[in-house]
Amino acid sequence: MAEPTKDDVDALVGPATPHFAYQLRARVLELVEGLPENHEVRRYANEKAELLDRLGYASSKAEEGRREATTRLGWEQIPSAAPADEPLPKQ
């Protein structure tokens, strides 16, 4: 198998949703497990694995677009509105 690239990591992480975050995290880490710790692609994959871990406690990656204000009418009725950069607390 060829040495993994950042594009390979992005191909796994790109379509991630909270429901599959941990399965994809495992695949990303498995993809780079043979690379040295200081390898650029492994460091990149570890960053993306951290994103996927946060996504597992969130409701979206929310990487683009503006956020809805929490003061918006009906906000308190949304069951899960936690983006990956501000996930729900781990329990």
Side-chain angles (χ1 to χ4, degrees):
M1 184 173 149
E3 185 172 284
T5 66
K6 288 183 177 183
D7 288 339
D8 296 329
V9 173
D10 288 340
L12 288 170
V13 176
T17 64
H19 296 89
F20 297 105
Y22 291 108
Q23 291 88 341
L24 293 172
R25 181 181 182 274
R27 288 183 183 185
V28 166
L29 294 176
E30 183 179 359
L31 178 69
V32 298
E33 71 184 352
L35 298 177
E37 290 291 326
N38 62 347
H39 192 285
E40 176 185 13
V41 174
R42 185 165 187 160
R43 287 193 315 266
Y44 182 73
N46 287 336
E47 290 172 14
K48 294 301 182 177
E50 290 174 16
L51 169 67
L52 291 168
D53 187 46
R54 292 190 309 271
L55 181 59
Y57 289 91
S59 59
S60 83
K61 286 189 283 187
E63 294 176 325
E64 297 178 4
R66 65 178 187 83
R67 296 208 178 151
E68 292 290 333
T70 56
T71 56
R72 177 181 159 220
L73 185 63
W75 183 263
E76 66 279 353
Q77 296 171 352
I78 298 174
S80 178
D85 62 347
E86 292 180 35
L88 297 172
K90 295 179 183 182
Q91 297 182 4

